Amino acid sequence: MGTGGIAAGGEQVMTALKEEFDAAGIKDATFIENCKLHKVGCRGFCARDVLVDVTIDGETSTYQYIEDNMVKRLVSDHVIGGEPVKEWLVGDDYHTFHDKQKKIILQDLGKIDPESIEEYLAVDGYKGARKALSEMSPADVITTIKDSGLRGRGGGGFPAGVKWSFCAGTEADQRYIICNADEGDPGAFMDRSVVEGNPHAVIEGMIVGAYAIGASIGYVYIRAEYPLAVDRLHTALNAARKKGYLGENIFGTDFNFDIKVKLGAGAFVCGEETALIASIEGDRGMPRAKPPFPANKGLWGKPTIINNVETLANIPPIINKGAEWFASIGSETSKGTKVIALTGKIRNTGLIEIPMGMTLKEIIYDIGGGIEDDRLFKAVQTGGPSGGCIPQQFIDLPVDYEGLQSIGSMMGSGGMVVLDETDCMVAIAKFFLAFTQEESCGKCVPCRLGTKRLLEILTRITEGEGKKGDIELLQELAEDVRDSSLCGLGMSAPNPVISTIKYFRHEYEAHINHKRCPSKTCNALLTFFIREHQCVGCGMCVRACGVNAITGEKKQPHVIDQNTCIKCGACFDACKFDAVLKE
C-alpha cells in the first residue's frame, strides 16, 4: 500500500480481501485463529505490484500482479483451503531481486503497518532514541555517528557526525533540525517511500539528532505532491506525541522536542538547504551564498542541521547496533548502504538497498534482471537530473561517492535510470537540461541564462539544425555554468551535457555532421516510410496522421508523402504490423 501499489490497484485488492473475509465468516471461524489482514509500505519490487503475502504457520507465499477479481480464489483456495495458487506466485527472479540487497532502511517497510506505532515498537522502534536520551550524552551520540562513517544521503555525501558537531559547537539560544523530504528528481522515489512505509524511523532519527545538537524544534519539509506520505507522517507524529515520544520530558528525561510539518510547493530548488530554509521562513525558495553554512547560521539565523530522510532513518540502527557494525558495511570511504530507485529500460524496476561498493553490473543484471527485451545496455544515469551518464565500459564500477565522482557522475539522492541501445544520448541530455532549466529559481545569471542557452543548442541539434562548433560551445558554456552558479542546482545542471559529450561524442557528431540520429530517436532526423509487402492496408496509420500525409486504398499498401510528413512518428506508433519503418 505504497504509492506504486495503490496506483496498481492496491486499495481495490484490500477492499476485496475485507469483503471476502466477511463473506467467508473468517472473523468468527474457529478453524482460523488470529487471522489478520493488514497493509504495509513499499515492498520494493514495484514492477510486480500488487504484491500480496499469505502467511500460514510461518510459511509465506508471495503473489504478484494481484487484481481485485483474483481475490475470491486467493481466499478460498489458500487462506481457507491451505493450497497456494501456484500460477500467481512470484518466480525465482523475485528472490534474486532481494537476495543481493542489504536492507537497513528498507528492512521493515514490507513488514509493518506504517500507520501503527505498536508495530514499529514491535521491531525495536524508539529503542535507539530511548538509549540515546537515557544512556548517552549529546557528545557521545555525535561521536558514535562520526565513528560510523555515515555520510549525508541527500547528494553531497558530507559526514553527518561532523556536520552535527559544527552545529552543536555554535553558541546559540535555539537550534533547529530539519528533515529534507523534498525529493524531486525525475524517477526518484526513495525518500517518499520511506516516509510512506516507515515514518516513525524518520521521527526517531530526528529525536536523536535534536538531542545531539540541542534542538527543541524540528521541521519535516515535504512536498505537498506526496499526499500519502504527508498523511502517514501526521498520523505517526500524533501517535508519537500520545506515547510521550515527542513533547516535554521525552522518555522521562529533561529533553523537550517536537516536530512541525512544512509543505513545499514542489520546487526542485528547495531541495537545496538554504532555499529550503527560505521557504520555511515564508520567503520565496531561493538559495543564498555560503558561508555562513546553516550549521552555523540557518533557520531564522539560528544553527540548523538539515538531513534528508534516508540519513535520519539510518540513525536509530546505528545507535542500537553501534558505530562499528555500521562501519563494517560498505566500501572504505562510503559506509553503510544506499537506497536506490532503479528505473528505466530494465526488467525489475523498483526500490532497492545495496551495500556501498556494489558494482553497477551487479545492480543492473543481478538485482535488476538485465535490460528489458534483451536489448544492449548503453548507459546508466545516476544522481538524478544533475548526475552524469555512465557508459557500458564502466559497468564494473563500484557504486559509492568517490567511484561515481571519478568518472564525472554523482550519487545524488539515489536515482538510477538505465538506458539501452534505443536511447539517444543527445536527447537524454536535452531531457535533463529541460528539467533543470525549468526548475532554476533564476537568482543567478549563470544558471538562469546558461541552462537556457544549453537547452537551446541541444534542441537545435536534435531537430537537425546543429552546426559546426556546437559541441565546443556546449562544453565551454557547460563549464562556465558549473563553475560560476550560486548553488548546487546550477553547478551540477551541466553534468548530463558534459558526460554525454565525453563518452558519446560520436552521437553529437552524427547529429550535427550527418543529420542522423544513430538511435533513431530524434524524429526530425528520421524518414518514415511504409514497406509494401508488410502493409495490410488497415488504415491505422491514416487515422493517426494529423496532416494527411498517408494515402492508400483499403487492404492495399499505403504510401507516405515525404513532402507533407512532419515526422511526428504517430504512424510508427499506430502500426501493429511493423510495416512503418524509420531510418
Side-chain angles (χ1 to χ4, degrees), residues 312-387:
L312 291 165
N314 267 302
I315 303 301
I318 291 174
I319 298 297
N320 280 329
K321 299 182 180 181
E324 187 175 345
W325 162 79
F326 190 82
S328 68
I329 304 166
S331 63
E332 185 176 348
T333 58
S334 302
K335 303 301 183 182
T337 61
K338 185 70 191 77
V339 179
I340 290 172
L342 188 60
T343 61
K345 306 294 183 61
I346 193 164
R347 287 192 177 94
N348 302 332
T349 58
L351 191 69
I352 67 172
E353 185 173 3
I354 54 109
M356 290 279 198
M358 178 177 281
T359 66
L360 285 170
K361 186 175 183 179
E362 291 175 289
I363 294 171
I364 294 169
Y365 287 95
D366 293 346
I367 297 176
I371 312 303
E372 63 181 358
D373 299 326
D374 293 320
R375 293 189 177 124
L376 297 178
F377 168 74
K378 187 172 192 176
V380 59
Q381 165 84 1
T382 69
S386 302

Side-chain angles (χ1 to χ4, degrees), residues 279-323:
S279 180
I280 292 178
E281 291 175 341
D283 296 327
R284 182 179 175 186
M286 301 175 78
R288 60 165 172 79
K290 295 180 286 188
F293 293 93
N296 303 120
K297 188 177 181 180
L299 187 63
W300 289 298
K302 305 296 183 180
T304 304
I305 283 299
I306 303 175
N307 290 127
N308 83 324
V309 167
E310 186 180 345
T311 308
L312 291 165
N314 267 302
I315 303 301
I318 291 174
I319 298 297
N320 280 329
K321 299 182 180 181

Side-chain angles (χ1 to χ4, degrees), residues 534-541 552-558 577:
Q534 208 150 331
C535 178
V536 299
C538 66
M540 290 293 292
C541 58
E553 297 294 327
K554 190 175 182 180
K555 296 186 179 181
Q556 296 297 319
H558 287 34
F577 301 96

